[in-house]
């Protein structure tokens, strides 16, 4: 006798779909929802020529992006659990691809926590670190989610691209990434994260003797990068260090919180409701009650790196209007931003180059690789 009688299978299938819908914020529920609801819907819309997804996204990618919207509808705890699993999977893939990864947790009496990522173990030796370029990477996640393993495949591709470029010139310079672990909201609201990033920067320069530092991040991590640069300028202990960040990398920076989103943005990786909810959790205690990076500062107030600033983003991202306003502010400074580079990919979603390096996204992977190569070339030019 079969486990489920044939006459009851439709009922159990309906119950399974209802359970997947109700538990859609779990990883298994999300996968079931993609396969049984979102993907068939996208296929039907493509066939009927009514799909609103950007033309650069294939049906599979569009269905996954549509389904990911449901993640942001859950509580912080639910979303954090799901994204932690995804980050762990990505870290495993990076290790499988050859990444050498070493966790740091309070070494040498410091409070710095994070993850070293390199192409070769020798690149992490103390004498080599002093010669290499170190990217202090600050992960995104709306200050509420994620950890040091986030974006590991992206970091490995970036490292390999930079090292290959340097090898062609006959240079022994290498790139390594230190991915920072920092306290998350709502338990730790902004700006509690800035001193943690500042301590990590000082640790790299003063304790490890790193001579070339790039600071970068995506989304909230890019917001923290801008805030850290201003913090360094305003803190004599940091501004007087002999080594300063020579470049910054801002990937889809979360510089403002949108009040509305057009229909063309409905296939972004994050939803309007999700970003507004995070905005309240992270910045709601401040006088402005919101992310005020654009309104609280004047163009000349931004402390920029001495050799280069890269702003890279997707044109279909829900934060794109705020990013373009931020770029306009940088371009309107009384003194030009040294080495400012702006790279926009029309039709691409938020942080596509960091979060979409997996082969499940064939239509985006090629563009993501191109963006990584542009980032590597930018670091090489700035570090020359």
């Amino acid at each position: 006798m079969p486990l489920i009688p044939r006459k009851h299978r439709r009922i159990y299938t309906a119950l399974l779909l209802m359970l997947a819908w109700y538990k859609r914020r779990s990883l298994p529920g999300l996968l079931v929802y993609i396969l049984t609801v979102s993907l068939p819907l996208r296929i039907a819309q493509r066939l009927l020529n009514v799909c609103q997804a950007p033309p650069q996204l294939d049906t599979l990618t569009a269905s996954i992006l549509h389904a990911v919207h449901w993640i942001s509808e859950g509580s912080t705890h639910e979303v954090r659990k799901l994204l932690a699993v995804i980050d762990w999977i990505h870290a495993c893939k990076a290790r499988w691809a050859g990444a050498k990864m070493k966790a740091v947790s309070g070494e040498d009496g410091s409070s710095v926590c994070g993850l070293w990522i390199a192409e070769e173990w020798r690149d992490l030796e103390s004498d080599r670190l002093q010669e290499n370029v170190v990217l202090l990477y600050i992960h995104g996640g709306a200050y509420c989610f994620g950890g040091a393993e986030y974006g590991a495949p992206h970091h490995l591709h970036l490292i390999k691209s930079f090292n290959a470029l340097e090898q062609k010139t006959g240079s022994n310079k290498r790139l390594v990434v230190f991915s920072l672990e920092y306290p998350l909201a709502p338990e730790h609201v902004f700006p509690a994260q800035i001193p943690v990033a500042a301590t990590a920067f000082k640790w790299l320069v003063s304790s490890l003797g790193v001579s070339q530092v790039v600071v970068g991040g995506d989304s909230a991590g890019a917001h923290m990068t801008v805030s850290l640069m201003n913090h360094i300028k305003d803190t004599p202990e940091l501004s007087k260090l002999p080594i300063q960040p020579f470049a910054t990398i801002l990937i889809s920076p979360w510089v403002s919180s949108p009040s509305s989103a057009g229909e063309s943005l409905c296939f972004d990786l994050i939803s309007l409701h999700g970003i507004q909810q995070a905005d309240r959790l992270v910045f709601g205690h401040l006088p402005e009650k919101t992310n005020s990076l654009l309104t609280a500062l004047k163009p000349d107030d931004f402390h920029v790196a001495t050799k280069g600033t890269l702003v890279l983003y997707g044109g279909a991202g829900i934060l794109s209007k705020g990013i373009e306003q931020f770029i306009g502010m940088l371009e309107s400074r009384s003194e030009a931003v040294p080495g400012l580079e702006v790279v926009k990919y029309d039709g691409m979603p938020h942080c596509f180059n960091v979060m979409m390096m997996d082969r499940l996204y064939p239509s985006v992977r090629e563009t993501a690789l191109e963006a990584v190569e542009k980032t590597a070339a930018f670091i090489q030019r700035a570090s020359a």
Side-chain angles (χ1 to χ4, degrees):
M1 182 178 178
L3 182 63
I4 301 177
R6 183 179 297 274
K7 63 180 180 179
H8 294 155
R9 287 180 186 174
R10 292 183 179 179
I11 298 175
Y12 281 96
T13 300
L15 291 175
L16 176 63
L17 291 176
M18 290 177 62
L19 179 63
W21 178 271
Y22 179 69
K23 293 292 185 180
R24 58 187 177 270
R25 301 175 198 108
S26 69
L27 186 59
L30 182 64
L31 292 176
V32 172
Y33 177 72
I34 291 172
L35 294 174
T36 60
V37 178
S38 188
L39 183 56
L41 180 61
R42 296 308 133 200
I43 292 175
Q45 289 183 328
R46 288 290 189 192
L47 292 175
L48 296 174
N49 198 30
V50 295
C51 185
Q52 295 296 320
Q56 291 88 339
L57 304 183
D58 60 19
T59 303
L60 175 61
T61 308
S63 67
I64 294 174
L65 295 187
H66 178 265
V68 167
H69 274 285
W70 293 115
I71 296 177
S72 62
E73 302 297 328
S75 69
T76 303
H77 180 65
E78 289 175 321
V79 178
R80 192 176 292 176
K81 286 195 302 181
L82 174 59
L83 295 183
V85 173
I86 295 175
D87 289 346
W88 177 80
I89 293 173
H90 286 177
C92 290
K93 289 181 178 180
R95 289 188 176 94
W96 180 260
K100 306 301 184 287
M101 303 168 72
K102 177 184 176 183
V104 172
S105 179
E107 290 183 353
D108 302 326
S110 72
S111 58
V112 178
C113 295
L115 185 69
W116 284 109
I117 305 175
E119 187 177 8
E120 302 290 345
W121 284 117
R122 61 188 175 90
D123 295 336
L124 297 177
E125 296 174 358
S126 58
D127 57 333
R128 295 298 298 270
L129 277 178
Q130 297 175 7
E131 302 174 357
N132 290 337
V133 176
V134 175
L135 169 58
L136 172 58
Y137 194 85
I138 307 172
H139 69 81
Y143 282 108
C144 298
F145 319 111
E149 293 180 328
Y150 166 91
H154 167 271
H155 303 337
L156 178 61
H157 280 286
L158 180 60
I159 290 168
K160 287 184 174 181
S161 297
F162 178 90
N163 292 347
L165 289 172
E166 285 293 317
Q167 189 175 13
K168 288 180 180 179
T169 66
S171 171
N172 294 323
K173 191 187 302 180
R174 311 270 286 181
L175 177 68
V176 296
V177 172
F178 182 73
S179 181
L180 181 66
E181 196 83 56
Y182 59 86
L184 301 175
E187 296 86 354
H188 305 274
V189 294
F190 185 85
Q193 297 80 11
I194 304 305
V196 176
T199 299
F201 167 68
K202 183 180 177 182
W203 171 72
L204 289 174
V205 173
S206 300
S207 299
L208 300 185
V210 174
S211 59
Q212 289 190 296
V213 179
V214 185
V215 181
D218 64 287
S219 194
H223 178 281
M224 201 196 304
T225 297
V226 175
S227 301
L228 173 62
M229 292 297 292
N230 286 345
H231 180 75
I232 291 174
K233 179 191 67 174
D234 296 334
T235 307
E237 182 184 5
L238 300 176
S239 61
K240 292 180 180 179
L241 289 173
I243 302 300
Q244 296 290 308
F246 68 85
T248 54
I249 299 171
L250 310 175
I251 301 172
S252 298
W254 182 24
V255 290
S256 66
S257 293
S259 58
S260 62
E263 189 178 77
S264 62
L265 301 180
C266 67
F267 283 88
D268 197 8
L269 286 161
I270 53 178
S271 69
L272 177 64
H273 173 80
I275 198 67
Q276 290 177 339
Q277 181 181 15
D279 186 64
R280 290 190 294 270
L281 292 175
V282 177
F283 303 105
H285 65 290
L286 298 176
E288 298 84 359
K289 304 298 181 184
T290 187
N291 184 341
S292 61
L293 194 59
L294 295 185
T295 56
L297 296 175
K298 298 178 180 178
D300 287 340
D301 291 338
F302 289 105
H303 178 49
V304 297
T306 56
K307 291 188 176 181
T309 298
L310 173 66
V311 183
L312 190 152
Y313 67 107
I318 198 170
L319 304 179
S320 59
K321 289 184 178 179
I323 294 170
E324 287 163 0
Q325 183 181 351
F326 171 67
I327 294 168
M329 293 178 69
L330 293 181
E331 292 175 339
S332 67
R333 284 165 50 95
S334 57
E335 293 186 8
V337 177
L340 175 62
E341 297 186 26
V342 177
V343 183
K344 177 182 179 181
Y345 287 91
D346 291 326
M348 289 294 105
H350 180 71
C351 294
F352 70 96
N353 53 319
V354 179
M355 295 193 281
M356 304 182 71
M357 295 296 296
D358 192 275
R359 295 185 184 275
L360 285 175
Y361 306 92
S363 63
V364 185
R365 180 176 174 80
E366 183 177 346
T367 307
L369 288 172
E370 179 186 330
V372 170
E373 291 170 1
K374 283 184 179 292
T375 305
F378 163 80
I379 298 175
Q380 186 196 37
R381 286 192 297 271
S383 64

